[in-house]
DNA sequence: TGTTTTTATAGAATAATATTCTATATAATA
DNA sequence: TATTATATAGAATATTATTCTATAAAAACA
């Protein structure tokens, strides 16, 4: 991966629907050169997928919560069960197993507080093995990017 | 927004690089019908952008940290300064202003622990007005989606 | 209820773009 | 030095997006 690849990945992480020609002009290359680079980046797995990003506010799903979760038991079987079940919850877009006081941090998107309460009562805390939770409500998104800086 | 729009958005959030014809077949519509729907969803702002997602592990940037930050002073001027500066930090992909014990939660992507220490010492805590921080290191990504469920 | 208007759709025609092909030049390797 | 692999450019082709025309269904209206 050279500097041109990094610049190209940066462009693609910002907008993947431009024409090859447009990227080529930005990079000072021919369309074929850019085309081959993109195909290589896809082949090597650097580019994982191409997705559309939905505007949460316009979609009316802009109530975001970061919820820390502690399990009551850390037996392998129960841990795996929790991880399997949390993946199935459509309100949960992200779930990280983390170090520290709590075991997991979840990112949750719902319509409003009523929906969040419903989610917590009927879905999350209804799961087996949940010890305790602590919710941090998102007041504003200061930065929200899906791009990874490659230096 | 009807059920077809929701199904279409779900498909686009999973893969935005298929042909209109492919979505049309999944939805049981003509390519024109799907084309017009996509253009409308873009026009209405439901689709915010199209991006490539980079594989952090393949890119060698798979050391992820969720860092809680408390400011020392909550004077408007300082708060806005922090928010402006944190947006400029390339290692920070997300920053949420949240309720609770801490003021902000940041998602940080770096190569490894050494790089993280460097980031903390020379960039984050070098910012004016940082009170205290608490880092949660990501052990594993149980779920990592950019899609919003529209019910 | 009948009429008009709007909206969503399909299929065909066209325009734009992606993809492949051929040829060169450059860099890496033996 | 000769040889192989790799990256590139430009042209040719294939695929896909986009536009156009026409219909049908749904909504608004008298």
């Amino acid at each position: 991966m050279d500097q041109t690849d990094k610049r190209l990945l940066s462009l693609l992480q910002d907008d993947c629907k431009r024409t090859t020609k447009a990227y080529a002009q930005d990079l000072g290359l021919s369309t074929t050169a850019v085309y081959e680079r993109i195909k290589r980046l896809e082949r090597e797995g650097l580019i994982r997928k191409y997705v559309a990003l939905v505007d949460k506010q316009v979609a009316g799903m802009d109530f975001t919560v970061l919820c820390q979760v502690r399990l009551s038991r850390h037996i392998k079987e129960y841990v795996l069960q929790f991880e399997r079940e949390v993946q199935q919850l459509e309100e949960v877009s992200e779930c990280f197993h983390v170090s520290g006081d709590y075991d997991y941090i979840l990112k949750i998107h719902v319509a409003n507080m009523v929906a969040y309460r419903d989610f917590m009562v009927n879905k999350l805390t209804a799961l087996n093995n949940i010890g305790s939770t602590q919710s941090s409500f998102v007041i504003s998104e200061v930065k929200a990017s899906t791009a990874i800086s490659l230096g």
Side-chain angles (χ1 to χ4, degrees), chain A:
Chain A
M1 232 211 334
D2 60 12
Q3 279 307 115
T4 304
D5 283 334
K6 287 183 182 177
R7 287 177 61 203
L8 177 53
L9 279 173
S10 172
L11 293 172
L12 292 169
Q13 285 187 105
D14 182 59
D15 183 354
C16 69
K17 277 291 182 96
R18 297 169 69 204
T19 63
T20 315
K21 191 175 173 182
Y23 300 120
Q25 282 168 349
D26 280 8
L27 298 171
L29 286 173
S30 69
T31 62
T32 307
V34 171
Y35 179 80
E36 293 299 341
R37 278 177 183 267
I38 292 175
K39 287 300 150 187
R40 176 171 48 76
L41 293 170
E42 290 171 355
R43 197 170 350 104
E44 290 172 350
L46 254 137
I47 296 173
R48 193 161 58 81
K49 62 189 326 199
Y50 297 98
V51 300
L53 298 182
V54 166
D55 189 311
K56 293 189 288 294
Q57 199 158 359
V58 176
M61 293 292 286
D62 56 338
F63 194 87
T64 303
V65 184
L66 296 172
C67 181
Q68 295 183 289
V69 174
R70 195 184 291 124
L71 299 186
S72 51
R73 297 151 163 275
H74 294 89
I75 299 158
K76 182 175 178 180
E77 189 189 340
Y78 292 140
V79 170
L80 293 178
Q81 189 193 359
F82 167 78
E83 296 193 353
R84 236 180 301 114
E85 289 173 338
V86 84
Q87 280 173 32
Q88 302 304 316
L89 299 176
E90 60 177 18
E91 294 89 345
V92 177
S93 63
E94 300 177 30
C95 173
F96 300 103
H97 181 198
V98 293
S99 68
D101 221 25
Y102 285 83
D103 295 316
Y104 297 92
I105 297 180
L106 279 55
K107 190 196 278 181
I108 295 148
H109 299 291
V110 290
N112 48 46
M113 184 64 90
V114 172
Y116 186 64
R117 184 189 133 80
D118 183 65
F119 166 76
M120 286 302 278
V121 173
N122 298 316
K123 295 194 174 176
L124 190 63
T125 62
L127 292 185
N128 215 355
N129 195 30
I130 297 284
S132 61
T133 67
Q134 183 177 305
S135 301
S136 297
F137 298 104
V138 171
I139 298 164
S140 75
E141 295 193 352
V142 176
K143 186 172 186 176
S145 169
T146 55
I148 304 296
S149 172
L150 303 169

